[in-house]
Amino acid sequence: MENEELQQWIEQVSLDHFGVPFTHEALFNRRLTTTGGRYMLKSHRIEINPHQLEAYGREEVEKIIKHELCHYHLHIRGRGYQHRDPEFKALLQKVGGSRFCQSLPDGKGRKPLPYRYKLVCKSCGTEYLRKRKVDPKRYRCGRCAGKLGIHTI
């Protein structure tokens, strides 16, 4: 699917479910990894994650489109367009949009574990998690002053 088709699709969904035309730009953004789509407040542009279309099909992406159109139409009218606003929640439920998008199956966009290294005291077994590799010879256990060994998680 190309950006022109997406533009027409969003315009049609807007007319069918909101009764108001979508008059701004819509396009795919392949750099979106953890979100299904986004609405840009200043330009009123809607960007959709094409990976969602590949993974889950048109039905799931239409729910994402409805979600972004809720932001769009409420923001244009000067209403509460944020996720926490009751007007947003009510409109989203009325049109059948999704509150959250599904996670991509290949793990695209998933953040790595925050800790990569574990220091373990050789005498008492206390564990210390670290993001960066450290030299265990330069440190001692804070509980018993024992020697530390390093393990990769």
Side-chain angles (χ1 to χ4, degrees):
M1 179 180 283
E2 298 295 322
N3 285 334
E4 295 80 25
E5 293 176 69
L6 177 67
Q7 179 76 34
Q8 292 172 355
W9 187 15
I10 290 179
E11 288 172 2
Q12 191 60 46
V13 169
S14 181
L15 287 173
D16 292 346
H17 296 278
F18 296 87
V20 182
F22 174 74
T23 58
H24 290 86
E25 184 183 19
L27 51 91
F28 284 114
N29 185 345
R30 295 194 83 71
R31 291 173 294 151
L32 296 178
T33 54
T34 59
T35 183
R38 66 180 174 184
Y39 166 64
M40 310 301 280
L41 293 174
K42 290 184 180 178
S43 65
H44 305 296
R45 183 174 65 205
I46 291 180
E47 297 178 351
I48 301 294
N49 185 345
H51 304 296
Q52 290 285 333
L53 183 62
E54 295 163 7
Y56 298 109
R58 290 179 66 93
E59 186 176 320
E60 193 63 33
V61 173
E62 186 162 324
K63 292 178 183 177
I64 294 169
I65 289 170
K66 290 176 183 176
H67 178 104
E68 300 309 325
L69 283 172
C70 285
H71 287 300
Y72 171 79
H73 289 299
L74 290 170
H75 181 249
I76 294 290
R77 292 183 191 142
R79 305 277 217 206
Y81 61 89
Q82 295 179 341
H83 290 123
R84 66 174 180 253
D85 293 325
E87 292 173 320
F88 177 82
K89 291 177 183 179
L91 183 59
L92 188 65
Q93 188 173 17
K94 179 183 170 189
V95 297
S98 64
R99 186 93 162 100
F100 305 101
C101 71
Q102 294 185 28
S103 297
L104 292 170
D106 60 353
K108 216 173 219 190
R110 215 177 353 200
K111 292 183 180 177
L113 292 174
Y115 300 108
R116 294 179 54 201
Y117 301 100
K118 180 169 46 172
L119 296 170
V120 181
C121 178
K122 293 182 179 179
S123 49
C124 71
T126 302
E127 297 180 353
Y128 302 94
L129 298 174
R130 294 287 177 261
K131 293 181 180 182
R132 295 183 182 172
K133 191 172 185 177
V134 295
D135 183 9
K137 295 175 191 165
R138 297 184 63 203
Y139 299 96
R140 293 288 184 152
C141 176
R143 182 181 278 171
C144 70
K147 292 186 178 184
L148 300 174
I150 192 164
H151 302 286
T152 305
I153 298 177

